[in-house]
Amino acid sequence: MTGSTECARVVVEELISFGVREVVLSPGSRNAPLSYEIFEADKIGLLRLHVRIDERSAAFTALGLAKASGLPVPVITTSGTAAGNLHPAVMEAWHSRIPLIAITADRPAAMINSGANQTTRQRGLFAGHVRAEVQLAGNDLDPRSWRFELHRGLVACSGQRTMIAGPFHLNIAFSEPLVPEPIDGIEEEYREITGLTREIESTDLPAEPLTVIVAGDLPTDDGRRVAEIADRAAVPLLAEPSSNARTAATAIGSYRLLLQSGLADEIERVIVVGHPTLSRPVTALMSRSNVELIIVEPSPEWRDPAMNADRVIARFNIGHPQSANRDWLERWQQADRQLSGRIDELINDSASITGPALARTLLGRLGSDDLLFVGSSNPIRDLDLAPVRADGPAVYANRGLAGIDGSISTAVGIALAADQPTHALLGDLTFLHDSNGLIIGAAEPQPRLRIVVANDNGGSIFATLEQGHPAQLSAFERVFGTAHRVDLGAVAGSVGAAYTKIDELADLDQLLRQPPAGLEIVDVAVDRRHRRTLDQRLNSLAATL
């Protein structure tokens, strides 16, 4: 057995023994030793292989698989720029604390700086955005050392000891020959690796003072626990869509607008769980000097963008609600009912399809057994205005850095990990940015994924920001609106995906009655001409309460 083949086999054995069950691979020559070993492991059912021709798409597919499964998922590339294409997904995984394993094949150390083809400095490539980095060399012929280093990196990736999961960079210098001798297969007995976990006590908080809970991006189970705490304590819950806590009876659907009303001035304590990223009113609330700000974070790395936290605690419970607390909740709920009615009237008043109307139509057809991935920019903010539902779907989003990179690939990964029909709501620019994610080979596991594209022919989110002010309109359309005029039907046809053009929400509602059977693209024509006006009218509603 060659050194490169033996090293690759040890790597695959350790991955499987640690619990890895999904692997995403992009083809290449230098990573061939790993490709052969993964192929053999897939044949005998030890793991499932997903091949993608685009490395960035591969990385976000792995991110989606890890996000939905909670298990570490490797993405494997060859050397050179192929490795660099993993960086956006690694960054997202770092900030989202997702156990993504970036495995990059490298040239032998003697070739670095020689100008050899596809050879660059890959050590430290993702520095600052990985929980661990391990360098192996196939010509070392030291399996014990390989296993030790791999174990260390895998434990760091999983967060078993630190309570902080995140990406792990494994860079392997493979020497020729890169093709193994014929083998029968991989042994099916592997060591079970376990890490040290630690219990963290909950902090019991008194029912008073007047409190709101802000729930940002969270895994589904964590979101449900936050919802249960809020309901038991009768505390208004201001929950973003990907918090997975909006099913609570205490969830305030119009919280983003109510934070601009006089009711927000009475808040005395804010408890923040997860990673809130969607709105400036929430950021302003967390920045106030006259509120007690409590951050809930079990790991030693807490998020406090306002740098204003009074306390950081691992877990929490709130005492039995007093009458004042119940009155406080009722005032929020009453204001929410009034404001929600006005939001409905404003959104339903449009003659054309708007982003908020599209989001609530999609959400209205999905139940508690469904999965929904939501893209950044307007779609997730539009969903944030949709009515709260006790039986809503599990919601996923890339909110670590909130970029539009790799959104299709992430949604594909989620659908494959769950092995069930899945929906994605994306803007047109987000869709086009990762259109390579639609390329899935005929021999690969196929997702049942319906991608609903809010197609407003450009970047309408900028219309709601400073760039959309009338004083800036001379440059807006060219450098922010970025109309593309791409035929999404042609894109769908090029990859063999089903395609439907939607001009009426009633047609979309009818289409959503059936689950996706394969890869589907639903192109919904959205009017962005009045996006800024709609946003201004929505923000002004709370002032009338």
Side-chain angles (χ1 to χ4, degrees):
M1 187 186 301
T2 68
S4 291
T5 294
E6 184 174 359
C7 182
R9 185 167 300 180
V10 168
V11 169
V12 174
E13 288 176 352
E14 291 300 303
L15 291 174
I16 294 171
S17 70
F18 197 76
V20 168
R21 295 296 177 263
E22 310 273 3
V23 176
V24 186
L25 170 71
S26 285
S29 176
R30 189 58 49 170
N31 62 339
L34 285 168
S35 301
Y36 285 113
E37 297 299 321
I38 293 293
F39 176 77
E40 294 296 331
D42 174 78
K43 281 203 308 185
I44 60 177
L46 294 178
L47 49 74
R48 186 166 62 156
L49 170 62
H50 309 269
V51 179
R52 298 294 184 272
I53 62 174
D54 180 282
E55 285 83 5
R56 189 183 68 173
S57 175
F60 277 100
T61 301
L63 182 82
L65 286 161
K67 185 187 287 280
S69 69
L71 298 174
V73 176
V75 54
I76 301 173
T77 76
T78 191
S79 61
T81 57
N85 277 306
L86 305 185
H87 212 150
V90 169
M91 294 172 70
E92 174 63 28
W94 168 267
H95 288 277
S96 294
R97 301 176 181 177
I98 301 297
L100 176 71
I101 306 172
I103 303 180
T104 55
D106 202 354
R107 301 301 177 101
M111 298 178 67
I112 307 300
N113 300 324
S114 70
N117 187 38
Q118 291 185 326
T119 304
T120 188
R121 299 175 183 179
Q122 292 180 198
R123 295 192 184 196
L125 183 62
F126 309 123
H129 291 107
V130 288
R131 301 293 175 199
E133 180 182 6
V134 168
Q135 176 76 30
L136 301 183
N139 56 9
D140 285 346
L141 295 177
D142 189 1
R144 179 173 299 199
S145 173
W146 296 338
R147 293 185 191 278
F148 169 78
E149 293 292 344
L150 284 166
H151 188 187
R152 182 179 64 84
L154 289 167
V155 169
C157 175
S158 68
Q160 290 179 347
R161 292 178 179 267
T162 63
M163 305 300 292
I164 316 172
F168 158 39
H169 181 202
L170 173 59
N171 191 57
I172 310 175
F174 286 123
S175 301
E176 298 179 357
L178 302 173
V179 178
E181 297 177 359
I183 57 176
D184 295 329
I186 300 176
E187 296 179 3
E188 299 191 37
E189 294 183 1
Y190 297 93
R191 299 179 296 112
E192 181 180 357
I193 301 175
T194 58
L196 175 66
T197 59
R198 57 191 176 96
E199 295 296 327
I200 302 177
E201 295 181 356
S202 293
T203 300
D204 291 324
L205 301 173
E208 298 178 347
L210 298 180
T211 299
V212 296
I213 299 174
V214 172
D217 188 61
L218 284 167
T220 53
D221 290 343
D222 291 350
R224 294 188 188 102
R225 283 193 289 270
V226 172
E228 291 170 359
I229 293 172
D231 283 349
R232 285 198 307 269
V235 173
L237 176 59
L238 318 184
E240 296 182 356
S242 63
S243 70
N244 290 292
R246 285 171 70 95
T247 55
T250 55
I252 307 299
S254 61
Y255 75 90
R256 190 171 88 201
L257 304 183
L258 287 176
L259 284 178
Q260 302 172 61
S261 73
L263 191 59
D265 297 335
E266 302 180 44
I267 297 174
E268 298 172 341
R269 180 174 66 185
V270 180
I271 302 172
V272 180
V273 191
H275 189 193
T277 58
L278 287 189
S279 70
R280 293 180 180 182
V282 168
T283 302
L285 174 63
M286 294 171 60
S287 302
R288 279 171 43 182
S289 60
N290 63 341
V291 299
E292 180 188 10
L293 180 62
I294 299 176
I295 306 293
V296 181
E297 174 55 66
S299 80
E301 295 184 6
W302 62 89
R303 300 177 177 100
D304 180 17
M307 295 179 286
N308 194 38
D310 294 284
R311 301 170 66 188
V312 179
I313 60 178
R315 293 191 176 92
F316 77 108
N317 282 303
I318 301 177
H320 188 73
Q322 308 298 316
S323 59
N325 301 100
R326 295 192 182 279
D327 292 343
W328 171 244
L329 173 62
E330 176 55 35
R331 290 174 60 200
W332 275 88
Q333 289 177 326
Q334 181 178 358
D336 185 39
R337 287 191 292 269
Q338 294 177 5
L339 190 55
S340 295
R342 297 174 187 178
I343 293 172
D344 292 344
E345 291 176 4
L346 182 55
I347 291 176
N348 294 334
D349 186 49
S350 176
S352 56
I353 300 176
T354 64
L358 170 58
R360 59 180 48 205
T361 298
L362 175 58
L363 184 67
R365 276 295 168 193
L366 301 181
S368 57
D369 294 331
D370 291 309
L371 303 178
L372 174 62
F373 176 84
V374 190
S376 296
S377 296
N378 276 332
I380 194 164
R381 290 171 173 82
D382 292 336
L383 195 67
D384 197 35
L385 288 174
V388 169
R389 290 181 50 200
D391 59 346
V395 179
Y396 296 90
N398 286 344
R399 302 307 300 172
L401 287 181
I404 66 172
D405 313 60
S407 294
I408 289 176
S409 300
T410 304
V412 168
I414 290 169
L416 289 170
D419 192 23
Q420 70 181 72
T422 302
H423 286 77
L425 176 62
L426 308 178
D428 52 316
L429 296 186
T430 299
F431 175 85
L432 292 172
H433 198 281
D434 190 35
S435 58
N436 277 354
L438 298 170
I439 304 172
I440 302 174
E444 305 309 313
Q446 301 295 312
R448 289 174 286 171
L449 175 65
R450 177 179 289 142
I451 303 172
V452 179
V453 183
N455 188 358
D456 55 13
N457 191 33
S460 64
I461 190 170
F462 296 107
T464 68
L465 304 176
E466 294 84 349
Q467 295 89 346
H469 190 278
Q472 309 297 333
L473 287 184
S474 62
F476 180 83
E477 194 59 31
R478 175 78 185 278
V479 297
F480 296 107
T482 59
H484 51 78
R485 297 180 295 178
V486 174
D487 182 353
L488 300 194
V491 174
S494 69
V495 296
Y499 173 81
T500 305
K501 176 74 172 178
I502 296 290
D503 295 303
E504 300 288 341
L505 285 177
D507 295 334
L508 175 64
D509 184 75
Q510 184 64 33
L511 175 67
L512 294 172
R513 294 174 185 271
Q514 298 297 323
L519 186 59
E520 301 179 18
I521 297 169
V522 180
D523 183 2
V524 183
V526 173
D527 183 4
R528 69 176 169 96
R529 292 174 299 172
H530 306 294
R531 181 73 206 209
R532 183 177 182 86
T533 301
L534 175 62
D535 190 69
Q536 290 174 333
R537 293 177 67 187
L538 285 168
N539 285 322
S540 68
L541 290 177
T544 64
L545 292 178

